[in-house]
Amino acid sequence: MSTPAITCETTPEPKRPGASRVGLIVPSSNTTMETELPELFRRQAEATGHKYTFHSARAGMKKVTKEELLAMVGKAAQCAEAVSDADVDVIAYACLVAVMAQGPEAHEGSEQVIADAAAGNGHPAPVTSSAGALVRTLQEIGAQKVAMITPYMKPLTQMVVDYIEGSGITVLDAISLEVADNLEVGCLDPQNLPALARSLKREGADAVVLSACVQMPSLAAVQAVEDELGLPVITAATATTYEILKALGHTPAITGAGSLLSGAGILTPANA
């Protein structure tokens, strides 16, 4: 008896109505972006009926040092080609500090490199980056002064501060948890974030950046901190989600992740 021939796919499965493909470029040691974003989009799908799938490419990075971050940046185009093979509808470059370590407004160049690589591979798609998304989202909600928490060593946190301030936003305070190993960053307990947020110098702040890092878990704490502090609470992950939805032309309808993604309008600070 002959064995039936196995047919292998040589092209992506045709896109289906009511579904979108999200491409992610992540550090090889990242464990959080591919858990928080699918959970956020699960809530979006629950509210709207639209479905989302995720398709990732990984770039080598273990230690959160400037050298490893710059090496990762050099792999962005190759990763973009790989993820675009899935004919994704949008691409998110999910490593905030790797971009910010290159200097002010580096997200613009990084996003263009990725867009060009995807287009050159025959699958053009809109591109966002966690670095660009955080800056643009803060600008969009009118945040002129912020306080933030990062897992980085202090020199890298200062780079993030400089980058954000280079976009015209004042950083009133920044807490550095000083965790260099990226896997360890992914194991940080988000339930510690409310106490850290309380300790920030927030007088005059327009928003709190609860996690200026896509690898530091924060989703479980976003709504609680926003409710307690009465300030808009943004994270690298929620800002990236916001821009992915915008790129797809979808209105946010996500519960329990802060006013940014609720679709009900951004929370107005009590001191505004």
Side-chain angles (χ1 to χ4, degrees):
M1 179 183 294
S2 61
T3 302
I6 298 174
T7 302
C8 296
E9 288 188 36
T10 57
T11 59
E13 179 185 355
K15 293 180 180 178
R16 291 172 289 179
S20 298
R21 294 178 184 150
V22 179
L24 297 177
I25 299 173
V26 297
S28 58
S29 53
N30 191 281
T31 57
T32 301
M33 203 63 164
E34 293 153 306
T35 56
E36 290 198 344
L37 257 66
E39 171 56 23
L40 287 165
F41 280 91
R42 182 196 66 76
R43 298 180 196 181
Q44 177 79 9
E46 190 174 67
T48 66
H50 193 90
K51 305 299 183 184
Y52 302 86
T53 58
F54 294 84
H55 312 273
S56 299
R58 314 188 80 78
M61 195 274 281
K62 297 179 182 179
K63 299 289 185 181
V64 192
T65 63
K66 187 173 182 179
E67 293 73 23
E68 285 205 35
L69 292 169
L70 290 174
M72 178 188 163
V73 167
K75 302 166 186 172
Q78 182 180 2
C79 287
E81 289 182 6
V83 79
S84 71
D85 281 344
D87 196 20
V88 294
D89 298 296
V90 60
I91 298 173
Y93 184 26
C95 188
L96 179 140
V97 74
V99 174
M100 290 190 175
Q102 299 174 75
E105 300 182 352
H107 60 272
E108 296 178 0
S110 291
E111 290 167 358
Q112 191 61 55
V113 164
I114 291 167
D116 290 346
N121 195 38
H123 296 289
V127 174
T128 185
S129 65
S130 50
L134 181 61
V135 167
R136 288 188 293 258
T137 298
L138 290 172
Q139 291 172 332
E140 183 175 331
I141 69 172
Q144 298 180 337
K145 297 179 181 179
V146 302
M148 70 179 187
I149 302 168
T150 88
Y152 310 127
M153 306 303 286
K154 288 181 179 178
L156 282 179
T157 295
Q158 188 58 50
M159 287 183 186
V160 175
V161 169
D162 292 344
Y163 196 96
I164 291 174
E165 292 197 327
S167 69
I169 299 166
T170 300
V171 179
L172 298 173
D173 193 20
I175 291 175
S176 299
L177 300 184
E178 298 198 89
V179 181
D181 185 279
N182 205 41
L183 278 177
E184 291 182 16
V185 171
C187 294
L188 292 171
D189 188 350
Q191 299 307 324
N192 293 330
L193 289 174
L196 289 167
R198 285 182 214 115
S199 71
L200 285 165
K201 298 171 185 175
R202 307 184 310 276
E203 186 175 356
D206 301 306
V208 168
V209 179
L210 195 63
S211 175
C213 174
V214 296
Q215 173 70 336
M216 186 167 79
S218 58
L219 179 55
V222 171
Q223 191 67 58
V225 173
E226 183 168 288
D227 292 344
E228 177 181 343
L229 300 185
L231 288 168
V233 172
I234 312 295
T235 73
T238 61
T240 303
T241 297
Y242 182 65
E243 286 219 335
I244 290 171
L245 288 170
K246 284 177 62 178
L248 294 172
H250 299 170
T251 300
I254 297 170
T255 59
S259 55
L260 175 70
L261 295 178
S262 70
I266 196 72
L267 176 69
T268 301
N271 61 355

